[in-house]
Amino acid sequence: MNIGIVGLGLIGGSMAWDLRSLGFQVLGVSTREQTCQKAIAKGIVDDASMSLSLMATADVIFICTPIGAIASTVEQLVPHLSAAAIVTDVGSVKAPVVQALSELWPNFVGGHPMAGTAESGIDAAVRDLFVDRPYVITPTATTPKLAVEKVEEIARSLRARVYRCCPEDHDRAVAWISHLPVMVSASLIAACTSEFDPDIVRLAQQLASSGFRDTSRVGGGNPELGVMMAKYNRKELLRSINSYREHLDQFINSIEGQDWEALQQKLEQTQKARGNFEF
């Protein structure tokens, strides 16, 4: 089977590397010639090009571009596809993407591998990035069953944990556990740097340890990705942010009112609830 990867960054490069090691013929497309050459030299792909015509022999094509470029990329890709080719994407927002691409190509399957690092580009590609990580497939009523099964089969070959849900449910769920944390984390960093005394800022930077490191990590990630999350999942992100603000207000009220019992109860509830999430 020939696998096409359009976009050889962290996700696309890592996916290509793993799939090639599994014996698939992997073809890559990038907008940069330097990236193409590097992907070939490192053994990440069998062949790479800046031209989408390379995808003509691919059986399954993964679109690994930023969310805002997915639809336009598929529009340019369609003339090069074989009639039976399956197209899927890796975008972190699904409803608008699935709606747009299903109209462009009948064999389209929405997908979202929930893995990554703070790095980007072909140099950030690593092996086994998707092992034991969620990989969400988001078919609709009109998505061809065989196409869905093929994408799920490939996702399982990466040793990912495969889930299936509708695009709208996906977007609502990831707003809580992926998109909201980015905004909360970014707000934390912004709040810390708003301290007016530069000596205190420097001291805080020197004292920062694992707690700040863990809670600030996603807020210090790729700004373009954060903007795309907000732009394409605006409704659900705003819904989760507003709910978060309400809960934050509850903490503020407890502390201002010195209601330590209420604060204790809230922290006990969150301590217990955290165990229900799978990491």
Side-chain angles (χ1 to χ4, degrees), residues 59-97:
D59 301 298
V60 181
I61 300 96
F62 289 82
I63 309 299
C64 302
T65 66
I67 300 171
I70 293 175
S72 60
T73 298
V74 174
E75 282 183 324
Q76 298 172 56
L77 177 64
V78 165
H80 304 288
L81 296 175
S82 66
I86 298 169
V87 177
T88 185
D89 78 307
V90 300
S92 64
V93 179
K94 293 271 65 82
V97 171

mmCIF file of all heavy atoms in Angstrom, residues 59-97:
data_model
loop_
_atom_site.group_PDB
_atom_site.id
_atom_site.type_symbol
_atom_site.label_atom_id
_atom_site.label_comp_id
_atom_site.label_asym_id
_atom_site.label_seq_id
_atom_site.Cartn_x
_atom_site.Cartn_y
_atom_site.Cartn_z
ATOM 1 N N ASP A 59 -2.570 5.343 -2.146
ATOM 2 C CA ASP A 59 -3.859 4.710 -1.845
ATOM 3 C C ASP A 59 -4.594 5.438 -0.721
ATOM 4 O O ASP A 59 -5.819 5.545 -0.738
ATOM 5 C CB ASP A 59 -3.642 3.245 -1.450
ATOM 6 C CG ASP A 59 -2.958 2.453 -2.545
ATOM 7 O OD1 ASP A 59 -3.541 2.341 -3.636
ATOM 8 O OD2 ASP A 59 -1.835 1.963 -2.305
ATOM 9 N N VAL A 60 -3.836 5.908 0.260
ATOM 10 C CA VAL A 60 -4.390 6.673 1.378
ATOM 11 C C VAL A 60 -3.512 7.901 1.567
ATOM 12 O O VAL A 60 -2.285 7.790 1.640
ATOM 13 C CB VAL A 60 -4.431 5.852 2.681
ATOM 14 C CG1 VAL A 60 -5.032 6.686 3.813
ATOM 15 C CG2 VAL A 60 -5.215 4.564 2.492
ATOM 16 N N ILE A 61 -4.137 9.071 1.642
ATOM 17 C CA ILE A 61 -3.383 10.321 1.788
ATOM 18 C C ILE A 61 -3.780 11.003 3.084
ATOM 19 O O ILE A 61 -4.970 11.240 3.329
ATOM 20 C CB ILE A 61 -3.632 11.277 0.599
ATOM 21 C CG1 ILE A 61 -3.204 10.629 -0.711
ATOM 22 C CG2 ILE A 61 -2.887 12.593 0.801
ATOM 23 C CD1 ILE A 61 -4.339 9.976 -1.469
ATOM 24 N N PHE A 62 -2.796 11.330 3.905
ATOM 25 C CA PHE A 62 -3.004 12.056 5.157
ATOM 26 C C PHE A 62 -2.654 13.522 4.932
ATOM 27 O O PHE A 62 -1.530 13.848 4.541
ATOM 28 C CB PHE A 62 -2.118 11.487 6.262
ATOM 29 C CG PHE A 62 -2.540 10.132 6.753
ATOM 30 C CD1 PHE A 62 -2.180 8.984 6.051
ATOM 31 C CD2 PHE A 62 -3.299 9.992 7.909
ATOM 32 C CE1 PHE A 62 -2.565 7.724 6.498
ATOM 33 C CE2 PHE A 62 -3.688 8.738 8.359
ATOM 34 C CZ PHE A 62 -3.326 7.597 7.651
ATOM 35 N N ILE A 63 -3.618 14.404 5.184
ATOM 36 C CA ILE A 63 -3.387 15.841 5.073
ATOM 37 C C ILE A 63 -2.926 16.353 6.440
ATOM 38 O O ILE A 63 -3.704 16.404 7.390
ATOM 39 C CB ILE A 63 -4.657 16.590 4.627
ATOM 40 C CG1 ILE A 63 -5.255 15.928 3.374
ATOM 41 C CG2 ILE A 63 -4.334 18.058 4.375
ATOM 42 C CD1 ILE A 63 -4.335 15.921 2.172
ATOM 43 N N CYS A 64 -1.660 16.711 6.523
ATOM 44 C CA CYS A 64 -1.056 17.103 7.805
ATOM 45 C C CYS A 64 -0.623 18.568 7.804
ATOM 46 O O CYS A 64 0.384 18.936 8.399
ATOM 47 C CB CYS A 64 0.137 16.204 8.113
ATOM 48 S SG CYS A 64 -0.262 14.440 8.187
ATOM 49 N N THR A 65 -1.397 19.381 7.132
ATOM 50 C CA THR A 65 -1.138 20.818 7.091
ATOM 51 C C THR A 65 -1.847 21.491 8.262
ATOM 52 O O THR A 65 -2.676 20.868 8.936
ATOM 53 C CB THR A 65 -1.681 21.417 5.783
ATOM 54 O OG1 THR A 65 -3.114 21.315 5.789
ATOM 55 C CG2 THR A 65 -1.124 20.696 4.563
ATOM 56 N N PRO A 66 -1.570 22.777 8.523
ATOM 57 C CA PRO A 66 -2.376 23.517 9.501
ATOM 58 C C PRO A 66 -3.854 23.499 9.109
ATOM 59 O O PRO A 66 -4.185 23.373 7.915
ATOM 60 C CB PRO A 66 -1.796 24.935 9.421
ATOM 61 C CG PRO A 66 -0.390 24.733 8.967
ATOM 62 C CD PRO A 66 -0.436 23.580 8.017
ATOM 63 N N ILE A 67 -4.741 23.632 10.084
ATOM 64 C CA ILE A 67 -6.183 23.525 9.843
ATOM 65 C C ILE A 67 -6.651 24.444 8.723
ATOM 66 O O ILE A 67 -7.419 24.045 7.852
ATOM 67 C CB ILE A 67 -6.976 23.841 11.131
ATOM 68 C CG1 ILE A 67 -6.610 22.864 12.243
ATOM 69 C CG2 ILE A 67 -8.480 23.771 10.871
ATOM 70 C CD1 ILE A 67 -7.183 23.247 13.596
ATOM 71 N N GLY A 68 -6.169 25.673 8.738
ATOM 72 C CA GLY A 68 -6.633 26.651 7.756
ATOM 73 C C GLY A 68 -6.263 26.325 6.328
ATOM 74 O O GLY A 68 -6.853 26.888 5.393
ATOM 75 N N ALA A 69 -5.300 25.435 6.134
ATOM 76 C CA ALA A 69 -4.856 25.083 4.784
ATOM 77 C C ALA A 69 -5.411 23.755 4.295
ATOM 78 O O ALA A 69 -5.178 23.369 3.136
ATOM 79 C CB ALA A 69 -3.325 25.050 4.730
ATOM 80 N N ILE A 70 -6.153 23.038 5.124
ATOM 81 C CA ILE A 70 -6.598 21.690 4.756
ATOM 82 C C ILE A 70 -7.500 21.710 3.525
ATOM 83 O O ILE A 70 -7.269 20.982 2.554
ATOM 84 C CB ILE A 70 -7.315 21.000 5.939
ATOM 85 C CG1 ILE A 70 -6.320 20.723 7.070
ATOM 86 C CG2 ILE A 70 -7.966 19.699 5.492
ATOM 87 C CD1 ILE A 70 -6.955 20.143 8.321
ATOM 88 N N ALA A 71 -8.550 22.534 3.541
ATOM 89 C CA ALA A 71 -9.523 22.544 2.441
ATOM 90 C C ALA A 71 -8.874 22.954 1.122
ATOM 91 O O ALA A 71 -9.088 22.310 0.079
ATOM 92 C CB ALA A 71 -10.690 23.464 2.772
ATOM 93 N N SER A 72 -8.076 24.007 1.138
ATOM 94 C CA SER A 72 -7.442 24.463 -0.100
ATOM 95 C C SER A 72 -6.447 23.438 -0.611
ATOM 96 O O SER A 72 -6.278 23.268 -1.825
ATOM 97 C CB SER A 72 -6.741 25.807 0.126
ATOM 98 O OG SER A 72 -5.734 25.709 1.113
ATOM 99 N N THR A 73 -5.788 22.732 0.291
ATOM 100 C CA THR A 73 -4.843 21.687 -0.116
ATOM 101 C C THR A 73 -5.567 20.552 -0.823
ATOM 102 O O THR A 73 -5.114 20.057 -1.862
ATOM 103 C CB THR A 73 -4.088 21.138 1.113
ATOM 104 O OG1 THR A 73 -3.332 22.186 1.706
ATOM 105 C CG2 THR A 73 -3.153 20.014 0.719
ATOM 106 N N VAL A 74 -6.700 20.132 -0.271
ATOM 107 C CA VAL A 74 -7.459 19.043 -0.900
ATOM 108 C C VAL A 74 -8.029 19.486 -2.245
ATOM 109 O O VAL A 74 -8.072 18.692 -3.193
ATOM 110 C CB VAL A 74 -8.570 18.543 0.042
ATOM 111 C CG1 VAL A 74 -9.461 17.526 -0.661
ATOM 112 C CG2 VAL A 74 -7.957 17.926 1.291
ATOM 113 N N GLU A 75 -8.440 20.730 -2.344
ATOM 114 C CA GLU A 75 -8.919 21.241 -3.636
ATOM 115 C C GLU A 75 -7.846 21.095 -4.707
ATOM 116 O O GLU A 75 -8.131 20.676 -5.846
ATOM 117 C CB GLU A 75 -9.303 22.714 -3.511
ATOM 118 C CG GLU A 75 -10.641 22.957 -2.849
ATOM 119 C CD GLU A 75 -11.011 24.429 -2.818
ATOM 120 O OE1 GLU A 75 -10.103 25.269 -2.654
ATOM 121 O OE2 GLU A 75 -12.207 24.740 -2.958
ATOM 122 N N GLN A 76 -6.616 21.401 -4.359
ATOM 123 C CA GLN A 76 -5.507 21.283 -5.307
ATOM 124 C C GLN A 76 -5.112 19.825 -5.525
ATOM 125 O O GLN A 76 -4.578 19.476 -6.579
ATOM 126 C CB GLN A 76 -4.297 22.059 -4.783
ATOM 127 C CG GLN A 76 -4.526 23.547 -4.621
ATOM 128 C CD GLN A 76 -3.369 24.223 -3.914
ATOM 129 O OE1 GLN A 76 -2.218 24.135 -4.336
ATOM 130 N NE2 GLN A 76 -3.665 24.906 -2.808
ATOM 131 N N LEU A 77 -5.383 18.985 -4.533
ATOM 132 C CA LEU A 77 -5.000 17.582 -4.598
ATOM 133 C C LEU A 77 -5.925 16.745 -5.473
ATOM 134 O O LEU A 77 -5.481 15.820 -6.158
ATOM 135 C CB LEU A 77 -4.976 17.004 -3.175
ATOM 136 C CG LEU A 77 -4.676 15.514 -3.008
ATOM 137 C CD1 LEU A 77 -3.259 15.191 -3.481
ATOM 138 C CD2 LEU A 77 -4.867 15.099 -1.546
ATOM 139 N N VAL A 78 -7.212 17.071 -5.471
ATOM 140 C CA VAL A 78 -8.234 16.262 -6.136
ATOM 141 C C VAL A 78 -7.886 15.879 -7.582
ATOM 142 O O VAL A 78 -8.059 14.707 -7.975
ATOM 143 C CB VAL A 78 -9.608 16.967 -6.075
ATOM 144 C CG1 VAL A 78 -10.597 16.358 -7.061
ATOM 145 C CG2 VAL A 78 -10.163 16.885 -4.655
ATOM 146 N N PRO A 79 -7.380 16.781 -8.422
ATOM 147 C CA PRO A 79 -7.079 16.401 -9.811
ATOM 148 C C PRO A 79 -6.023 15.304 -9.938
ATOM 149 O O PRO A 79 -5.937 14.645 -10.988
ATOM 150 C CB PRO A 79 -6.574 17.710 -10.431
ATOM 151 C CG PRO A 79 -7.157 18.784 -9.590
ATOM 152 C CD PRO A 79 -7.181 18.228 -8.203
ATOM 153 N N HIS A 80 -5.236 15.091 -8.871
ATOM 154 C CA HIS A 80 -4.156 14.104 -8.934
ATOM 155 C C HIS A 80 -4.546 12.752 -8.341
ATOM 156 O O HIS A 80 -3.771 11.795 -8.432
ATOM 157 C CB HIS A 80 -2.930 14.634 -8.178
ATOM 158 C CG HIS A 80 -2.446 15.968 -8.662
ATOM 159 N ND1 HIS A 80 -1.809 16.132 -9.869
ATOM 160 C CD2 HIS A 80 -2.529 17.195 -8.101
ATOM 161 C CE1 HIS A 80 -1.490 17.406 -10.036
ATOM 162 N NE2 HIS A 80 -1.930 18.077 -8.982
ATOM 163 N N LEU A 81 -5.728 12.653 -7.748
ATOM 164 C CA LEU A 81 -6.109 11.441 -7.026
ATOM 165 C C LEU A 81 -6.673 10.364 -7.939
ATOM 166 O O LEU A 81 -7.387 10.662 -8.904
ATOM 167 C CB LEU A 81 -7.162 11.776 -5.962
ATOM 168 C CG LEU A 81 -6.735 12.708 -4.815
ATOM 169 C CD1 LEU A 81 -7.927 13.017 -3.933
ATOM 170 C CD2 LEU A 81 -5.610 12.078 -4.001
ATOM 171 N N SER A 82 -6.382 9.109 -7.596
ATOM 172 C CA SER A 82 -7.054 7.996 -8.260
ATOM 173 C C SER A 82 -8.467 7.910 -7.703
ATOM 174 O O SER A 82 -8.743 8.379 -6.591
ATOM 175 C CB SER A 82 -6.304 6.688 -7.994
ATOM 176 O OG SER A 82 -6.372 6.343 -6.611
ATOM 177 N N ALA A 83 -9.370 7.302 -8.448
ATOM 178 C CA ALA A 83 -10.785 7.283 -8.055
ATOM 179 C C ALA A 83 -11.021 6.597 -6.712
ATOM 180 O O ALA A 83 -11.945 6.955 -5.976
ATOM 181 C CB ALA A 83 -11.607 6.593 -9.137
ATOM 182 N N ALA A 84 -10.172 5.615 -6.372
ATOM 183 C CA ALA A 84 -10.372 4.850 -5.142
ATOM 184 C C ALA A 84 -9.578 5.404 -3.960
ATOM 185 O O ALA A 84 -9.656 4.854 -2.853
ATOM 186 C CB ALA A 84 -9.989 3.395 -5.368
ATOM 187 N N ALA A 85 -8.832 6.462 -4.164
ATOM 188 C CA ALA A 85 -7.975 6.991 -3.099
ATOM 189 C C ALA A 85 -8.792 7.455 -1.900
ATOM 190 O O ALA A 85 -9.875 8.019 -2.045
ATOM 191 C CB ALA A 85 -7.127 8.139 -3.628
ATOM 192 N N ILE A 86 -8.255 7.204 -0.726
ATOM 193 C CA ILE A 86 -8.867 7.643 0.526
ATOM 194 C C ILE A 86 -8.076 8.837 1.046
ATOM 195 O O ILE A 86 -6.849 8.809 1.096
ATOM 196 C CB ILE A 86 -8.854 6.517 1.577
ATOM 197 C CG1 ILE A 86 -9.681 5.328 1.095
ATOM 198 C CG2 ILE A 86 -9.371 7.021 2.928
ATOM 199 C CD1 ILE A 86 -9.511 4.081 1.949
ATOM 200 N N VAL A 87 -8.794 9.893 1.416
ATOM 201 C CA VAL A 87 -8.157 11.085 1.970
ATOM 202 C C VAL A 87 -8.618 11.248 3.415
ATOM 203 O O VAL A 87 -9.800 11.098 3.724
ATOM 204 C CB VAL A 87 -8.524 12.350 1.162
ATOM 205 C CG1 VAL A 87 -7.905 13.601 1.806
ATOM 206 C CG2 VAL A 87 -8.062 12.218 -0.287
ATOM 207 N N THR A 88 -7.671 11.534 4.293
ATOM 208 C CA THR A 88 -7.985 11.793 5.686
ATOM 209 C C THR A 88 -7.128 12.956 6.168
ATOM 210 O O THR A 88 -6.191 13.366 5.480
ATOM 211 C CB THR A 88 -7.762 10.540 6.562
ATOM 212 O OG1 THR A 88 -8.187 10.797 7.913
ATOM 213 C CG2 THR A 88 -6.304 10.119 6.571
ATOM 214 N N ASP A 89 -7.451 13.511 7.320
ATOM 215 C CA ASP A 89 -6.682 14.643 7.830
ATOM 216 C C ASP A 89 -6.309 14.390 9.277
ATOM 217 O O ASP A 89 -6.704 13.382 9.869
ATOM 218 C CB ASP A 89 -7.481 15.944 7.690
ATOM 219 C CG ASP A 89 -8.547 16.076 8.772
ATOM 220 O OD1 ASP A 89 -9.342 15.116 8.913
ATOM 221 O OD2 ASP A 89 -8.587 17.107 9.462
ATOM 222 N N VAL A 90 -5.537 15.325 9.856
ATOM 223 C CA VAL A 90 -5.130 15.181 11.255
ATOM 224 C C VAL A 90 -5.485 16.423 12.063
ATOM 225 O O VAL A 90 -4.947 16.635 13.146
ATOM 226 C CB VAL A 90 -3.612 14.901 11.374
ATOM 227 C CG1 VAL A 90 -3.246 13.611 10.649
ATOM 228 C CG2 VAL A 90 -2.793 16.077 10.834
ATOM 229 N N GLY A 91 -6.399 17.244 11.561
ATOM 230 C CA GLY A 91 -6.743 18.503 12.209
ATOM 231 C C GLY A 91 -7.397 18.328 13.564
ATOM 232 O O GLY A 91 -8.139 17.367 13.798
ATOM 233 N N SER A 92 -7.165 19.294 14.455
ATOM 234 C CA SER A 92 -7.700 19.207 15.816
ATOM 235 C C SER A 92 -9.124 19.708 15.934
ATOM 236 O O SER A 92 -9.723 19.648 17.017
ATOM 237 C CB SER A 92 -6.803 19.984 16.784
ATOM 238 O OG SER A 92 -6.813 21.361 16.475
ATOM 239 N N VAL A 93 -9.688 20.227 14.854
ATOM 240 C CA VAL A 93 -11.107 20.595 14.796
ATOM 241 C C VAL A 93 -11.716 19.826 13.642
ATOM 242 O O VAL A 93 -11.139 19.755 12.555
ATOM 243 C CB VAL A 93 -11.295 22.109 14.584
ATOM 244 C CG1 VAL A 93 -12.779 22.445 14.504
ATOM 245 C CG2 VAL A 93 -10.625 22.896 15.707
ATOM 246 N N LYS A 94 -12.913 19.262 13.846
ATOM 247 C CA LYS A 94 -13.416 18.333 12.854
ATOM 248 C C LYS A 94 -14.660 18.791 12.103
ATOM 249 O O LYS A 94 -14.749 18.575 10.895
ATOM 250 C CB LYS A 94 -13.699 16.968 13.530
ATOM 251 C CG LYS A 94 -12.450 16.271 14.020
ATOM 252 C CD LYS A 94 -11.797 15.366 12.964
ATOM 253 C CE LYS A 94 -11.245 16.023 11.749
ATOM 254 N NZ LYS A 94 -9.898 16.594 11.907
ATOM 255 N N ALA A 95 -15.645 19.372 12.754
ATOM 256 C CA ALA A 95 -16.921 19.651 12.087
ATOM 257 C C ALA A 95 -16.769 20.485 10.808
ATOM 258 O O ALA A 95 -17.243 20.072 9.740
ATOM 259 C CB ALA A 95 -17.898 20.311 13.053
ATOM 260 N N PRO A 96 -16.122 21.653 10.838
ATOM 261 C CA PRO A 96 -16.006 22.437 9.596
ATOM 262 C C PRO A 96 -15.144 21.765 8.556
ATOM 263 O O PRO A 96 -15.395 21.890 7.348
ATOM 264 C CB PRO A 96 -15.402 23.764 10.071
ATOM 265 C CG PRO A 96 -14.721 23.446 11.362
ATOM 266 C CD PRO A 96 -15.541 22.363 11.986
ATOM 267 N N VAL A 97 -14.125 21.047 8.994
ATOM 268 C CA VAL A 97 -13.228 20.349 8.062
ATOM 269 C C VAL A 97 -13.958 19.211 7.371
ATOM 270 O O VAL A 97 -13.899 19.061 6.142
ATOM 271 C CB VAL A 97 -11.973 19.819 8.788
ATOM 272 C CG1 VAL A 97 -11.151 18.919 7.884
ATOM 273 C CG2 VAL A 97 -11.121 20.976 9.303
#
